[in-house]
Amino acid sequence: MIENIKNKISQIKLTEFIDSFTKPKEIPSKPLVDNSKVLLEILDKIGEREYKILVNGKLFVSELPDNFKKGDILLAKILRANPLTLSLINLLEFSEINDKQKLAILLQYLKIPNTENAIDLLKAFIKLKIPVQKERFERLLELISETGLIFDNSQLEILLKLYIFAPTGKYKFDSFLLNLFGEKEDKLYVDLLNSILKLSSICKDETLKKFLYEYLIIDIDDRSKYFQLFDKSKLVLIISELMNNKNLAEYYDYLNAIRLSLLKIVLRNRFLKNIHYKQDFLIIKNKNNLNLIKYHFEAINPEKLPGVDRVILYFKTKILGKIEADLLLNFDKLFIKFIANNDSLSKIDAKKDEFIEKLNKKFRVETKITLYNPEIFNG
Amino acid sequence: MDKSLEQIIEEINNLSKDEFNEKLSSIIWELNKQKIDIEFMNIEDISDKLKDIMFDTIKFVDDLNLKGEK
Protein backbone atom coordinates (compact mmCIF):
# COMPACT_ATOMS: atom_id res chain seq x y z
CA MET A 1 0.00 0.00 0.00
CA ILE A 2 2.77 2.42 0.95
CA GLU A 3 4.54 1.63 -2.34
CA ASN A 4 1.49 2.63 -4.35
CA ILE A 5 1.12 5.85 -2.43
CA LYS A 6 4.83 6.57 -2.75
CA ASN A 7 4.70 6.71 -6.52
CA LYS A 8 1.75 9.04 -6.45
CA ILE A 9 3.10 11.46 -3.90
CA SER A 10 6.50 12.02 -5.42
CA GLN A 11 4.86 14.80 -7.45
CA ILE A 12 1.67 16.66 -6.57
CA LYS A 13 0.47 19.41 -8.84
CA LEU A 14 -1.57 22.17 -7.25
CA THR A 15 -3.85 24.74 -8.86
CA GLU A 16 -4.16 28.14 -7.24
CA PHE A 17 -7.59 29.62 -6.76
CA ILE A 18 -9.05 32.68 -5.12
CA ASP A 19 -11.57 32.14 -2.35
CA SER A 20 -11.55 34.87 0.25
CA PHE A 21 -14.17 32.99 2.27
CA THR A 22 -12.04 29.88 2.91
CA LYS A 23 -8.68 31.56 3.20
CA PRO A 24 -7.79 32.58 6.75
CA LYS A 25 -7.25 36.33 6.50
CA GLU A 26 -4.50 36.61 9.10
CA ILE A 27 -1.99 34.54 7.12
CA PRO A 28 0.11 36.65 4.79
CA SER A 29 1.25 35.18 1.46
CA LYS A 30 4.94 34.31 1.22
CA PRO A 31 6.82 33.65 -2.02
CA LEU A 32 7.18 30.02 -3.12
CA VAL A 33 10.74 29.11 -4.09
CA ASP A 34 11.98 26.04 -5.97
CA ASN A 35 13.54 23.35 -3.73
CA SER A 36 12.49 25.06 -0.50
CA LYS A 37 10.39 23.33 2.15
CA VAL A 38 6.88 24.39 3.07
CA LEU A 39 4.05 23.35 5.34
CA LEU A 40 0.77 22.68 3.67
CA GLU A 41 -2.46 22.74 5.59
CA ILE A 42 -5.57 20.82 4.60
CA LEU A 43 -8.41 23.33 4.70
CA ASP A 44 -11.17 21.16 3.33
CA LYS A 45 -11.87 17.89 1.59
CA ILE A 46 -13.91 18.72 -1.51
CA GLY A 47 -13.95 15.42 -3.38
CA GLU A 48 -12.94 11.76 -3.17
CA ARG A 49 -9.26 12.72 -3.26
CA GLU A 50 -9.53 16.46 -3.83
CA TYR A 51 -8.60 18.97 -1.17
CA LYS A 52 -8.43 22.71 -0.60
CA ILE A 53 -4.91 23.37 0.59
CA LEU A 54 -3.15 26.36 2.07
CA VAL A 55 0.53 26.74 1.16
CA ASN A 56 2.45 29.77 2.40
CA GLY A 57 -0.75 31.77 2.72
CA LYS A 58 -1.99 30.95 -0.81
CA LEU A 59 -4.97 28.75 -1.59
CA PHE A 60 -4.74 25.77 -3.92
CA VAL A 61 -6.76 22.73 -4.91
CA SER A 62 -5.15 19.39 -5.55
CA GLU A 63 -5.67 15.67 -5.47
CA LEU A 64 -3.78 13.93 -2.69
CA PRO A 65 -3.08 10.21 -2.70
CA ASP A 66 -3.73 9.54 0.96
CA ASN A 67 -6.68 10.22 3.19
CA PHE A 68 -6.26 13.46 5.13
CA LYS A 69 -8.62 15.43 7.31
CA LYS A 70 -9.32 19.11 7.75
CA GLY A 71 -6.56 20.73 9.80
CA ASP A 72 -3.84 18.20 8.92
CA ILE A 73 -0.45 19.84 8.41
CA LEU A 74 2.16 18.22 6.17
CA LEU A 75 5.74 18.97 5.37
CA ALA A 76 6.50 19.24 1.64
CA LYS A 77 9.28 20.16 -0.72
CA ILE A 78 8.62 22.54 -3.59
CA LEU A 79 9.81 20.83 -6.74
CA ARG A 80 8.62 23.70 -8.96
CA ALA A 81 7.07 26.97 -7.87
CA ASN A 82 5.19 27.59 -11.11
CA PRO A 83 3.00 25.69 -11.64
CA LEU A 84 3.28 24.69 -8.00
CA THR A 85 4.50 21.09 -7.80
CA LEU A 86 5.23 19.52 -4.43
CA SER A 87 6.67 16.30 -3.11
CA LEU A 88 5.49 14.93 0.22
CA ILE A 89 8.15 12.26 0.44
CA ASN A 90 11.40 13.28 -1.21
CA LEU A 91 12.10 15.93 1.40
CA LEU A 92 15.84 15.31 1.44
CA GLU A 93 18.28 13.85 -1.06
CA PHE A 94 19.55 10.36 -0.23
CA SER A 95 22.98 11.77 0.69
CA GLU A 96 21.33 14.20 3.15
CA ILE A 97 19.30 11.65 5.14
CA ASN A 98 21.97 11.31 7.85
CA ASP A 99 22.66 15.05 8.00
CA LYS A 100 21.40 16.06 11.46
CA GLN A 101 21.55 19.75 10.58
CA LYS A 102 19.22 19.30 7.61
CA LEU A 103 16.89 17.18 9.72
CA ALA A 104 16.92 19.81 12.48
CA ILE A 105 15.86 22.47 9.95
CA LEU A 106 12.89 20.32 8.94
CA LEU A 107 11.92 19.98 12.61
CA GLN A 108 11.97 23.78 12.86
CA TYR A 109 9.41 23.97 10.04
CA LEU A 110 7.21 21.61 12.04
CA LYS A 111 7.87 23.58 15.26
CA ILE A 112 8.97 20.39 16.99
CA PRO A 113 11.85 20.56 19.50
CA ASN A 114 15.14 19.19 18.22
CA THR A 115 15.77 16.03 20.25
CA GLU A 116 17.66 12.84 19.41
CA ASN A 117 14.35 10.91 19.23
CA ALA A 118 12.75 13.51 16.95
CA ILE A 119 15.75 13.56 14.57
CA ASP A 120 15.86 9.76 14.35
CA LEU A 121 12.12 9.46 13.85
CA LEU A 122 12.09 12.11 11.13
CA LYS A 123 14.91 10.23 9.40
CA ALA A 124 12.78 7.07 9.48
CA PHE A 125 9.78 8.89 7.93
CA ILE A 126 11.96 10.24 5.10
CA LYS A 127 13.80 6.97 4.52
CA LEU A 128 10.56 5.01 4.31
CA LYS A 129 9.01 7.72 2.12
CA ILE A 130 6.09 8.28 4.46
CA PRO A 131 4.53 11.78 4.35
CA VAL A 132 5.40 13.76 7.47
CA GLN A 133 2.00 14.65 8.83
CA LYS A 134 2.61 16.81 11.91
CA GLU A 135 -0.03 15.38 14.26
CA ARG A 136 0.86 11.76 13.43
CA PHE A 137 4.57 12.51 13.86
CA GLU A 138 4.04 14.21 17.22
CA ARG A 139 1.83 11.41 18.54
CA LEU A 140 4.33 8.69 17.64
CA LEU A 141 7.19 10.76 19.05
CA GLU A 142 5.26 11.14 22.31
CA LEU A 143 4.57 7.39 22.56
CA ILE A 144 8.22 6.57 21.91
CA SER A 145 9.47 9.16 24.41
CA GLU A 146 7.06 7.90 27.09
CA THR A 147 8.70 4.45 27.09
CA GLY A 148 12.03 5.95 28.15
CA LEU A 149 13.69 3.41 25.84
CA ILE A 150 16.28 4.18 23.20
CA PHE A 151 15.39 2.79 19.77
CA ASP A 152 17.94 2.43 17.01
CA ASN A 153 17.21 3.26 13.35
CA SER A 154 16.01 -0.19 12.35
CA GLN A 155 13.75 -0.43 15.43
CA LEU A 156 12.27 2.98 14.62
CA GLU A 157 11.61 2.02 11.01
CA ILE A 158 9.72 -1.09 12.11
CA LEU A 159 7.75 0.85 14.73
CA LEU A 160 6.87 3.51 12.17
CA LYS A 161 5.54 0.90 9.73
CA LEU A 162 3.54 -0.72 12.53
CA TYR A 163 2.21 2.67 13.59
CA ILE A 164 1.10 3.55 10.07
CA PHE A 165 -0.78 0.24 9.72
CA ALA A 166 -2.24 0.16 13.26
CA PRO A 167 -5.41 2.04 12.27
CA THR A 168 -6.48 -1.03 10.28
CA GLY A 169 -7.70 -2.25 13.69
CA LYS A 170 -5.84 -5.57 13.64
CA TYR A 171 -3.70 -4.65 16.63
CA LYS A 172 -3.18 -1.89 19.16
CA PHE A 173 -0.12 0.31 18.97
CA ASP A 174 0.39 0.52 22.71
CA SER A 175 3.04 0.29 25.43
CA PHE A 176 3.05 -3.53 25.19
CA LEU A 177 4.00 -3.36 21.51
CA LEU A 178 6.59 -0.63 22.12
CA ASN A 179 8.23 -2.59 24.94
CA LEU A 180 8.20 -5.80 22.91
CA PHE A 181 10.13 -4.07 20.13
CA GLY A 182 12.16 -2.03 22.62
CA GLU A 183 14.49 -4.90 23.39
CA LYS A 184 17.47 -4.78 21.06
CA GLU A 185 17.26 -7.58 18.55
CA ASP A 186 20.93 -8.45 18.99
CA LYS A 187 20.46 -8.92 22.74
CA LEU A 188 17.40 -11.09 22.20
CA TYR A 189 19.33 -13.45 19.92
CA VAL A 190 22.45 -13.45 22.10
CA ASP A 191 20.26 -14.50 25.07
CA LEU A 192 18.66 -17.22 22.97
CA LEU A 193 21.97 -18.57 21.69
CA ASN A 194 23.54 -18.48 25.17
CA SER A 195 20.62 -20.41 26.66
CA ILE A 196 20.91 -23.03 23.90
CA LEU A 197 24.68 -23.27 24.35
CA LYS A 198 24.32 -23.73 28.12
CA LEU A 199 21.68 -26.40 27.71
CA SER A 200 23.58 -28.27 25.00
CA SER A 201 26.74 -28.30 27.13
CA ILE A 202 25.07 -29.91 30.15
CA CYS A 203 22.38 -31.99 28.48
CA LYS A 204 22.59 -35.75 29.05
CA ASP A 205 19.04 -36.68 28.18
CA GLU A 206 18.62 -38.30 24.76
CA THR A 207 15.13 -36.85 24.05
CA LEU A 208 16.33 -33.37 24.77
CA LYS A 209 19.53 -33.86 22.77
CA LYS A 210 17.45 -35.04 19.84
CA PHE A 211 15.25 -31.97 20.06
CA LEU A 212 18.25 -29.66 20.26
CA TYR A 213 20.29 -31.22 17.47
CA GLU A 214 17.56 -32.20 15.05
CA TYR A 215 15.00 -29.47 15.39
CA LEU A 216 16.45 -26.41 17.07
CA ILE A 217 19.97 -26.61 15.69
CA ILE A 218 19.91 -27.52 12.06
CA ASP A 219 22.08 -28.95 9.37
CA ILE A 220 21.44 -26.52 6.54
CA ASP A 221 21.98 -29.24 3.95
CA ASP A 222 19.34 -31.46 5.53
CA ARG A 223 16.29 -29.34 6.09
CA SER A 224 13.69 -32.07 6.04
CA LYS A 225 13.07 -32.00 9.79
CA TYR A 226 13.57 -28.29 10.09
CA PHE A 227 10.86 -27.60 7.52
CA GLN A 228 8.34 -29.33 9.76
CA LEU A 229 9.11 -26.68 12.34
CA PHE A 230 9.72 -23.71 10.10
CA ASP A 231 7.25 -21.80 12.22
CA LYS A 232 8.99 -20.99 15.52
CA SER A 233 5.70 -20.95 17.42
CA LYS A 234 5.72 -24.76 17.12
CA LEU A 235 9.04 -24.78 18.96
CA VAL A 236 7.40 -22.84 21.80
CA LEU A 237 4.71 -25.51 22.13
CA ILE A 238 7.23 -28.37 21.99
CA ILE A 239 9.37 -26.78 24.70
CA SER A 240 6.27 -26.29 26.86
CA GLU A 241 5.51 -30.01 26.51
CA LEU A 242 9.12 -30.91 27.33
CA MET A 243 8.93 -28.71 30.43
CA ASN A 244 6.09 -30.93 31.66
CA ASN A 245 8.31 -33.99 31.33
CA LYS A 246 9.36 -35.11 34.83
CA ASN A 247 12.59 -36.65 33.55
CA LEU A 248 13.66 -33.25 32.31
CA ALA A 249 12.98 -31.38 35.56
CA GLU A 250 16.66 -30.48 36.01
CA TYR A 251 16.63 -28.64 32.66
CA TYR A 252 13.43 -26.73 33.39
CA ASP A 253 15.06 -23.31 33.87
CA TYR A 254 17.13 -23.61 30.69
CA LEU A 255 14.11 -24.66 28.68
CA ASN A 256 12.10 -21.82 30.17
CA ALA A 257 14.77 -19.28 29.17
CA ILE A 258 14.82 -20.60 25.58
CA ARG A 259 11.04 -20.57 25.47
CA LEU A 260 10.88 -16.97 26.67
CA SER A 261 13.32 -15.75 23.98
CA LEU A 262 11.45 -17.71 21.31
CA LEU A 263 8.13 -16.38 22.52
CA LYS A 264 9.35 -12.80 22.15
CA ILE A 265 10.38 -13.56 18.55
CA VAL A 266 7.03 -15.25 17.90
CA LEU A 267 5.11 -12.33 19.39
CA ARG A 268 7.05 -9.78 17.38
CA ASN A 269 6.16 -11.71 14.26
CA ARG A 270 2.51 -11.60 15.27
CA PHE A 271 2.67 -7.82 14.78
CA LEU A 272 5.12 -7.84 11.87
CA LYS A 273 2.73 -10.02 9.89
CA ASN A 274 0.63 -6.92 9.33
CA ILE A 275 3.46 -5.30 7.43
CA HIS A 276 4.26 -8.58 5.59
CA TYR A 277 7.50 -8.85 7.46
CA LYS A 278 9.06 -11.64 9.47
CA GLN A 279 12.14 -11.89 11.66
CA ASP A 280 13.67 -15.29 11.78
CA PHE A 281 16.85 -17.14 12.58
CA LEU A 282 18.68 -20.38 11.99
CA ILE A 283 21.07 -22.01 14.40
CA ILE A 284 23.58 -24.01 12.42
CA LYS A 285 26.14 -26.40 13.77
CA ASN A 286 29.49 -25.71 12.21
CA LYS A 287 32.14 -28.17 13.49
CA ASN A 288 32.03 -27.56 17.24
CA ASN A 289 30.55 -24.10 17.07
CA LEU A 290 26.96 -23.02 16.92
CA ASN A 291 26.34 -20.25 14.45
CA LEU A 292 23.19 -18.15 14.63
CA ILE A 293 22.09 -16.56 11.38
CA LYS A 294 19.55 -13.87 11.84
CA TYR A 295 17.56 -12.68 8.89
CA HIS A 296 14.41 -10.80 8.10
CA PHE A 297 12.19 -11.36 5.20
CA GLU A 298 9.41 -9.55 3.48
CA ALA A 299 6.92 -11.48 1.38
CA ILE A 300 5.94 -9.30 -1.54
CA ASN A 301 3.49 -10.21 -4.23
CA PRO A 302 0.69 -7.68 -3.80
CA GLU A 303 -0.98 -8.52 -7.09
CA LYS A 304 -0.90 -12.27 -6.22
CA LEU A 305 0.33 -13.08 -9.69
CA PRO A 306 0.36 -16.84 -10.25
CA GLY A 307 3.84 -18.31 -10.65
CA VAL A 308 5.46 -15.19 -9.23
CA ASP A 309 6.95 -15.17 -5.75
CA ARG A 310 9.17 -12.58 -4.13
CA VAL A 311 11.03 -12.40 -0.85
CA ILE A 312 13.55 -9.91 0.44
CA LEU A 313 16.12 -11.17 2.93
CA TYR A 314 17.93 -8.78 5.25
CA PHE A 315 21.19 -9.90 6.82
CA LYS A 316 23.28 -8.17 9.42
CA THR A 317 26.54 -10.07 9.34
CA LYS A 318 29.63 -9.69 11.49
CA ILE A 319 32.14 -9.36 8.64
CA LEU A 320 30.17 -8.30 5.58
CA GLY A 321 27.86 -5.86 7.34
CA LYS A 322 24.33 -5.29 6.08
CA ILE A 323 23.25 -7.17 2.98
CA GLU A 324 19.88 -7.35 1.30
CA ALA A 325 18.97 -10.11 -1.11
CA ASP A 326 15.88 -9.47 -3.20
CA LEU A 327 14.68 -12.81 -4.61
CA LEU A 328 12.13 -12.83 -7.39
CA LEU A 329 10.99 -16.14 -8.83
CA ASN A 330 8.97 -15.81 -12.02
CA PHE A 331 8.10 -19.36 -13.11
CA ASP A 332 11.53 -20.76 -14.10
CA LYS A 333 13.34 -17.44 -14.05
CA LEU A 334 15.07 -16.42 -10.84
CA PHE A 335 16.28 -12.87 -10.31
CA ILE A 336 18.47 -12.10 -7.31
CA LYS A 337 19.55 -8.58 -6.49
CA PHE A 338 22.20 -8.21 -3.79
CA ILE A 339 22.26 -4.78 -2.17
CA ALA A 340 25.34 -4.01 -0.12
CA ASN A 341 28.48 -1.89 0.05
CA ASN A 342 31.29 -2.24 -2.50
CA ASP A 343 33.47 -4.54 -0.36
CA SER A 344 30.68 -7.05 0.17
CA LEU A 345 29.53 -6.82 -3.45
CA SER A 346 33.04 -7.63 -4.71
CA LYS A 347 33.07 -10.76 -2.48
CA ILE A 348 29.66 -11.76 -3.84
CA ASP A 349 30.82 -11.03 -7.39
CA ALA A 350 33.78 -13.38 -7.02
CA LYS A 351 31.48 -16.29 -6.08
CA LYS A 352 28.32 -15.44 -7.96
CA ASP A 353 28.93 -17.61 -11.07
CA GLU A 354 29.40 -20.68 -8.87
CA PHE A 355 26.19 -19.83 -7.01
CA ILE A 356 24.24 -19.30 -10.25
CA GLU A 357 25.38 -22.66 -11.55
CA LYS A 358 24.33 -24.37 -8.32
CA LEU A 359 20.88 -22.75 -8.32
CA ASN A 360 20.28 -23.46 -12.03
CA LYS A 361 21.13 -27.11 -11.59
CA LYS A 362 19.33 -27.69 -8.30
CA PHE A 363 16.10 -25.82 -9.02
CA ARG A 364 16.02 -25.97 -12.83
CA VAL A 365 15.81 -22.23 -13.12
CA GLU A 366 17.57 -19.60 -15.15
CA THR A 367 19.21 -17.31 -12.60
CA LYS A 368 20.32 -13.75 -13.06
CA ILE A 369 22.20 -12.01 -10.25
CA THR A 370 22.65 -8.26 -10.13
CA LEU A 371 24.70 -6.29 -7.64
CA TYR A 372 23.63 -2.91 -6.39
CA ASN A 373 25.29 -0.35 -4.16
CA PRO A 374 22.64 2.27 -3.26
CA GLU A 375 25.28 4.83 -2.25
CA ILE A 376 26.72 4.95 -5.78
CA PHE A 377 23.33 5.34 -7.42
CA ASN A 378 21.91 7.87 -4.97
CA GLY A 379 24.92 9.57 -3.48
CA MET B 1 3.86 -41.53 31.17
CA ASP B 2 5.97 -38.87 29.51
CA LYS B 3 5.48 -38.42 25.79
CA SER B 4 8.28 -39.06 23.33
CA LEU B 5 9.55 -36.21 21.18
CA GLU B 6 7.98 -37.78 18.08
CA GLN B 7 4.60 -38.00 19.85
CA ILE B 8 4.82 -34.37 20.91
CA ILE B 9 5.70 -33.19 17.38
CA GLU B 10 3.01 -35.32 15.80
CA GLU B 11 0.38 -34.01 18.20
CA ILE B 12 1.41 -30.41 17.53
CA ASN B 13 1.46 -30.93 13.77
CA ASN B 14 -2.05 -32.40 13.98
CA LEU B 15 -3.57 -29.52 15.93
CA SER B 16 -6.20 -27.48 14.14
CA LYS B 17 -5.42 -23.80 13.65
CA ASP B 18 -7.76 -22.85 16.52
CA GLU B 19 -6.36 -25.47 18.89
CA PHE B 20 -2.83 -24.40 18.04
CA ASN B 21 -3.61 -20.72 18.64
CA GLU B 22 -5.39 -21.53 21.90
CA LYS B 23 -2.38 -23.44 23.25
CA LEU B 24 -0.01 -20.67 22.27
CA SER B 25 -2.29 -17.99 23.72
CA SER B 26 -2.36 -19.80 27.06
CA ILE B 27 1.47 -19.86 27.17
CA ILE B 28 1.58 -16.15 26.36
CA TRP B 29 -0.98 -15.50 29.08
CA GLU B 30 0.99 -17.57 31.59
CA LEU B 31 4.17 -15.61 30.86
CA ASN B 32 2.91 -12.11 30.21
CA LYS B 33 -0.61 -11.90 31.59
CA GLN B 34 -1.48 -10.36 28.26
CA LYS B 35 -4.32 -11.46 26.05
CA ILE B 36 -2.93 -11.60 22.53
CA ASP B 37 -4.88 -12.83 19.54
CA ILE B 38 -2.56 -14.95 17.51
CA GLU B 39 -2.34 -14.43 13.81
CA PHE B 40 0.92 -15.09 12.03
CA MET B 41 2.24 -14.63 8.55
CA ASN B 42 1.11 -17.59 6.56
CA ILE B 43 4.39 -19.08 5.49
CA GLU B 44 2.53 -21.05 2.84
CA ASP B 45 2.29 -17.73 1.01
CA ILE B 46 5.87 -18.36 -0.02
CA SER B 47 6.30 -21.29 -2.38
CA ASP B 48 8.43 -24.25 -1.25
CA LYS B 49 10.75 -23.64 -4.17
CA LEU B 50 11.46 -20.05 -3.13
CA LYS B 51 11.72 -21.14 0.51
CA ASP B 52 14.46 -23.57 -0.53
CA ILE B 53 16.18 -20.90 -2.62
CA MET B 54 16.00 -18.63 0.43
CA PHE B 55 17.94 -21.18 2.46
CA ASP B 56 20.56 -21.58 -0.25
CA THR B 57 20.95 -17.80 -0.36
CA ILE B 58 21.30 -17.70 3.44
CA LYS B 59 23.98 -20.38 3.20
CA PHE B 60 25.74 -18.50 0.37
CA VAL B 61 25.87 -15.27 2.40
CA ASP B 62 26.89 -17.12 5.56
CA ASP B 63 29.73 -18.93 3.75
CA LEU B 64 31.05 -15.64 2.39
CA ASN B 65 30.85 -14.16 5.87
CA LEU B 66 32.68 -17.12 7.44
CA LYS B 67 35.43 -16.90 4.79
CA GLY B 68 35.85 -13.23 5.68
CA GLU B 69 36.31 -14.21 9.31
CA LYS B 70 39.30 -16.44 8.60
Side-chain angles (χ1 to χ4, degrees):
Chain A
M1 193 169 79
I2 286 181
E3 283 298 329
N4 293 338
I5 295 170
K6 263 189 230 169
N7 297 331
K8 292 176 192 163
I9 51 184
S10 56
Q11 278 206 1
I12 297 167
K13 291 192 174 121
L14 297 95
T15 311
E16 190 172 5
F17 79 110
I18 308 297
D19 175 0
S20 55
F21 184 72
T22 316
K23 182 182 165 182
K25 291 186 176 54
E26 67 277 13
I27 300 176
S29 296
K30 281 191 258 173
L32 297 163
V33 182
D34 283 7
N35 292 320
S36 63
K37 313 293 186 298
V38 282
L39 287 183
L40 61 88
E41 184 181 344
I42 308 292
L43 290 182
D44 212 353
K45 189 170 181 176
I46 51 177
E48 178 75 11
R49 293 260 175 232
E50 209 173 9
Y51 295 86
K52 275 187 193 173
I53 298 165
L54 189 69
V55 184
N56 271 11
K58 287 182 183 167
L59 277 177
F60 295 88
V61 283
S62 179
E63 283 200 355
L64 294 178
D66 209 347
N67 202 14
F68 296 104
K69 62 180 192 310
K70 189 177 172 179
D72 278 349
I73 292 172
L74 291 128
L75 190 56
K77 179 180 175 178
I78 300 179
L79 299 174
R80 263 193 315 279
N82 194 14
L84 184 59
T85 311
L86 302 175
S87 173
L88 295 182
I89 52 167
N90 298 317
L91 300 175
L92 294 177
E93 299 297 325
F94 182 82
S95 57
E96 298 173 330
I97 285 178
N98 292 317
D99 187 333
K100 288 192 175 183
Q101 219 174 341
K102 301 246 185 221
L103 291 161
I105 292 169
L106 295 183
L107 287 176
Q108 275 178 9
Y109 276 96
L110 292 161
K111 296 188 177 64
I112 290 172
N114 178 0
T115 61
E116 199 73 23
N117 274 348
I119 289 276
D120 289 343
L121 186 59
L122 184 59
K123 189 158 79 176
F125 267 81
I126 295 172
K127 199 171 161 203
L128 295 178
K129 296 187 183 292
I130 293 172
V132 184
Q133 194 248 315
K134 190 172 187 277
E135 193 187 345
R136 187 160 68 176
F137 183 90
E138 283 177 323
R139 179 70 191 127
L140 180 55
L141 183 61
E142 191 187 340
L143 288 168
I144 286 169
S145 304
E146 275 171 8
T147 64
L149 299 169
I150 296 166
F151 295 91
D152 63 24
N153 291 335
S154 59
Q155 283 174 306
L156 280 176
E157 284 169 23
I158 284 177
L159 284 178
L160 175 55
K161 283 189 186 177
L162 288 170
Y163 184 68
I164 297 293
F165 283 97
T168 55
K170 288 186 178 164
Y171 57 95
K172 275 189 198 158
F173 191 94
D174 57 9
S175 58
F176 174 74
L177 182 150
L178 281 156
N179 284 306
L180 184 65
F181 286 91
E183 186 171 348
K184 293 275 178 287
E185 214 191 330
D186 288 349
K187 185 187 173 297
L188 182 60
Y189 285 100
V190 165
D191 286 351
L192 174 67
L193 191 59
N194 283 342
S195 305
I196 292 170
L197 281 168
K198 272 184 210 159
L199 183 57
S200 65
S201 68
I202 59 158
C203 180
K204 293 186 183 75
D205 181 87
E206 288 308 314
T207 304
L208 200 49
K209 271 188 189 169
K210 195 171 180 183
F211 170 66
L212 284 174
Y213 288 100
E214 289 187 22
Y215 293 97
L216 197 53
I217 299 164
I218 68 149
D219 174 353
I220 204 156
D221 292 317
D222 175 19
R223 299 159 204 160
S224 54
K225 288 192 171 114
Y226 182 75
F227 264 135
Q228 287 184 52
L229 300 173
F230 190 83
D231 181 349
K232 299 295 187 294
S233 52
K234 283 187 183 173
L235 292 176
V236 173
L237 293 196
I238 293 168
I239 294 172
S240 294
E241 288 288 343
L242 292 173
M243 284 164 71
N244 292 331
N245 188 329
K246 288 184 197 75
N247 292 331
L248 301 177
E250 62 182 299
Y251 306 112
Y252 186 94
D253 289 344
Y254 297 99
L255 285 168
N256 199 25
I258 296 172
R259 187 176 71 159
L260 185 61
S261 298
L262 283 172
L263 195 62
K264 286 180 188 169
I265 296 166
V266 163
L267 277 175
R268 285 182 183 211
N269 282 323
R270 175 256 180 265
F271 291 102
L272 293 173
K273 174 190 180 290
N274 295 286
I275 52 173
H276 306 291
Y277 202 72
K278 191 173 160 92
Q279 297 177 335
D280 209 350
F281 67 89
L282 295 173
I283 299 169
I284 296 169
K285 193 170 182 340
N286 180 23
K287 292 181 186 157
N288 290 324
N289 294 324
L290 291 186
N291 188 15
L292 188 142
I293 304 173
K294 188 178 62 153
Y295 61 98
H296 295 176
F297 66 85
E298 232 174 317
I300 306 170
N301 181 6
E303 289 88 16
K304 301 266 175 223
L305 300 170
V308 179
D309 216 350
R310 186 176 170 204
V311 157
I312 303 176
L313 297 168
Y314 301 85
F315 302 93
K316 199 170 141 194
T317 61
K318 217 197 281 180
I319 305 294
L320 301 175
K322 285 184 184 172
I323 296 179
E324 280 179 38
D326 187 342
L327 277 53
L328 173 67
L329 183 66
N330 188 349
F331 292 94
D332 57 352
K333 298 217 177 346
L334 173 65
F335 301 92
I336 302 180
K337 182 159 90 171
F338 283 106
I339 303 166
N341 62 32
N342 272 350
D343 280 354
S344 300
L345 291 180
S346 63
K347 288 189 176 77
I348 293 170
D349 197 29
K351 290 279 172 191
K352 86 171 190 237
D353 290 343
E354 215 177 288
F355 187 43
I356 288 173
E357 204 184 317
K358 182 184 165 187
L359 292 171
N360 288 354
K361 202 171 159 190
K362 189 169 171 187
F363 299 104
R364 296 182 179 190
V365 288
E366 194 185 308
T367 306
K368 190 178 176 198
I369 293 182
T370 51
L371 308 175
Y372 177 74
N373 177 352
E375 282 172 26
I376 289 177
F377 284 85
N378 297 298
Chain B
M1 207 176 91
D2 290 328
K3 294 175 197 166
S4 70
L5 183 62
E6 286 71 21
Q7 273 176 311
I8 293 173
I9 291 172
E10 198 188 333
E11 276 179 26
I12 289 170
N13 279 334
N14 287 335
L15 289 173
S16 70
K17 197 181 166 193
D18 287 346
E19 287 167 338
F20 185 87
N21 287 344
E22 204 178 303
K23 268 188 178 277
L24 198 54
S25 291
S26 66
I27 296 168
I28 295 165
W29 175 259
E30 187 191 316
L31 289 169
N32 286 310
K33 302 292 173 230
Q34 279 272 354
K35 172 88 179 76
I36 306 279
D37 294 324
I38 303 295
E39 197 188 341
F40 297 95
M41 176 188 277
N42 186 1
I43 200 64
E44 303 309 323
D45 285 350
I46 302 170
S47 66
D48 284 347
K49 194 171 179 179
L50 191 60
K51 236 187 268 174
D52 251 328
I53 293 168
M54 256 173 72
F55 279 103
D56 277 0
T57 309
I58 291 166
K59 189 174 184 320
F60 174 69
V61 171
D62 190 48
D63 285 347
L64 285 179
N65 194 51
L66 288 176
K67 280 191 184 107
E69 229 170 345
K70 282 170 193 166

